[in-house]
Amino acid sequence: MKILFYMPNAEAAAWLHDFARALPEADLREWQPGDTAPADFAVVWRPPRDMLAGRTDLRAIFNLGAGVDAILALEREQPGTLPANAQLIRLEDSGMAPQMAEYVTHAVLRYLRRFDEYQTLQREGRWQVLDPHPRETFTVGVLGLGVLGAHVAQAVAAFGMPVRGYSRSARPVECITTFAGAAQFDAFLDGVKVLVNLLPHTPDTADVLGARTFSRLERGAYLINVARGAHLVEADLLDALASGQLAAATLDVFREEPLPAGHPFWQEPRITITPHISALTLREESVAQIAEKMLALERGEAVGGVVDIERGY
Ligand code: NDP
Ligand code: OXD
């Protein structure tokens, strides 16, 4: 099998090494501009349009991440970029779900136990006991109940807070109250104290974290965005913090990454910033998952994680 690889950073060599070890029979090469030689599979992260456009040979494109928004943007901007006969396959968990659960539960518990406020008090040299938030009404709402969202919702529920989940289609998850579709969006939001975003970025979900959504939450709510920066209307977040509708936010993803110097988020003490690290793509797990799927496709078997291009995830 012939495999074409592209990753726009210095880690490419280590990935190629691990793929060669996992698939010793494969003919593996790193894509260079102008390379149009045949290949069966492509393994990519944020590929340039030229790598894929016009190819009729590829059977599958493996995306080195869970979110396929960057690659689908190429198709949306110029229809026909993605080879019509190639399946687009994304990573499914591959070690990201436990990381996401750690990140989100840490942020939720930090707000529940008011550690963010104790940090401020410490800086001011003040010894002051704050009334605890009641756990029974500290409702956590998780947008997106997919591979990551469902895992995160259950991890949070284990701490005893009421947890709700929202998805496109009805999706029962143990210990979680679930809501589905646009008709149930407001019912999902009403009274939520911590809103966690784990939706994919699609035309339907862009800007979902905006003034209207914030207005339905309990006053003094918290926002945790670990999905994509394009979900958040940045000015609406700053307004909601200024008005007290939101008390604080933890953001791992941004419209522009790295977050530019001078961006107002850097100076807002109620916003906690991390540099897109809530769930890192783990090389060993990802290579093993992709290699297994390639071998399954070679045997003519179906695999999971195939993206519905129309739906956008
Ligand atoms: P999945 O595709 O498994 O799950 C997506 C979920 O979102 C599904 O429950 C789906 O509903 C729901 N959904 C999609 N569109 C809508 C809509 N319009 N309305 C309501 N619900 C909708 O994705 P993952 O859980 O694997 O990943 C989620 C996202 O997390 C990724 O797309 C990526 O952007 C982000 N991510 C961020 C990382 C980071 O480090 N910050 C790392 C990894 C991922 P249904 O169940 O009905 O299909
Ligand atoms: C992903 C990501 O989508 O790392 O996997 O953001």
Side-chain angles (χ1 to χ4, degrees):
M1 89 180 65
K2 289 185 167 49
I3 305 172
L4 206 48
F5 182 87
Y6 179 83
M7 176 181 263
N9 62 38
E11 290 170 40
W15 282 83
L16 281 163
H17 173 269
D18 285 8
F19 270 114
R21 216 170 39 181
L23 295 164
E25 310 295 324
D27 170 358
L28 181 65
R29 67 184 194 275
E30 188 171 6
W31 183 80
Q32 304 294 340
D35 176 353
T36 55
D40 303 297
F41 301 117
V43 179
V44 299
W45 182 241
R46 296 183 171 276
R49 183 183 306 283
D50 291 356
M51 177 182 179
L52 302 171
R55 279 193 172 271
T56 51
D57 45 353
L58 290 178
R59 293 168 52 201
I61 301 167
F62 289 88
N63 183 57
L64 285 173
V68 289
D69 44 332
I71 195 165
L72 289 185
L74 296 176
E75 177 67 19
R76 221 169 287 124
E77 286 157 17
Q78 203 169 299
T81 297
L82 292 185
N85 299 323
Q87 292 183 309
L88 175 59
I89 300 173
R90 54 67 169 248
L91 286 178
E92 296 175 286
D93 182 353
S94 59
M96 286 188 270
Q99 296 178 72
M100 219 32 125
E102 288 161 4
Y103 185 103
V104 173
T105 50
H106 173 273
V108 170
L109 295 176
R110 177 167 171 255
Y111 292 137
L112 172 73
R113 297 300 307 270
R114 306 184 73 164
F115 289 137
D116 55 328
E117 293 165 85
Y118 283 117
Q119 206 171 350
T120 308
L121 289 171
Q122 178 181 342
R123 268 196 229 104
E124 293 167 357
R126 290 164 63 197
W127 179 279
Q128 186 185 334
V129 177
L130 302 170
D131 287 340
H133 287 299
R135 186 183 295 110
E136 319 75 65
T137 55
F138 205 79
T139 303
V140 179
V142 181
L143 287 166
L145 281 178
V147 174
L148 302 179
H151 189 81
V152 162
Q154 285 186 303
V156 174
F159 285 92
M161 283 82 80
V163 179
R164 300 179 189 169
Y166 177 73
S167 54
R168 208 162 85 125
S169 50
R171 195 164 288 278
V173 179
E174 224 175 301
C175 306
I176 315 296
T177 310
T178 56
F179 299 78
Q184 294 187 5
F185 189 51
D186 286 353
F188 161 79
L189 292 173
D190 285 343
V192 160
K193 187 71 179 175
V194 186
L195 185 64
V196 178
N197 179 35
L198 268 164
L199 289 168
H201 170 215
T202 70
D204 289 339
T205 65
D207 297 336
V208 64
L209 305 175
R212 190 189 173 282
T213 295
F214 300 151
S215 72
R216 309 285 315 196
L217 306 176
E218 189 176 305
R219 189 161 173 80
Y222 301 92
L223 172 69
I224 300 170
N225 187 19
V226 282
R228 285 292 183 264
H231 288 126
L232 177 64
V233 183
E234 296 185 342
D236 289 2
L237 170 60
L238 293 171
D239 287 349
L241 290 169
S243 72
Q245 177 57 21
L246 290 185
T250 294
L251 307 177
D252 184 50
V253 287
F254 302 89
R255 284 188 183 259
E256 188 178 347
E257 295 180 2
L259 186 65
H263 192 287
F265 285 178
W266 287 117
Q267 298 307 323
E268 171 49 72
R270 289 163 293 187
I271 295 180
T272 299
I273 291 169
T274 52
H276 202 139
I277 50 76
S278 52
L280 299 170
T281 298
L282 302 179
R283 199 168 67 234
E284 194 178 327
E285 287 83 346
S286 305
V287 168
Q289 184 177 105
I290 292 171
E292 207 173 292
K293 287 185 182 182
M294 284 178 180
L295 294 172
L297 290 174
E298 290 277 275
R299 293 191 297 270
E301 296 165 11
V303 298
V306 176
V307 172
D308 179 330
I309 308 278
E310 284 302 310
R311 213 176 50 167
Y313 68 99

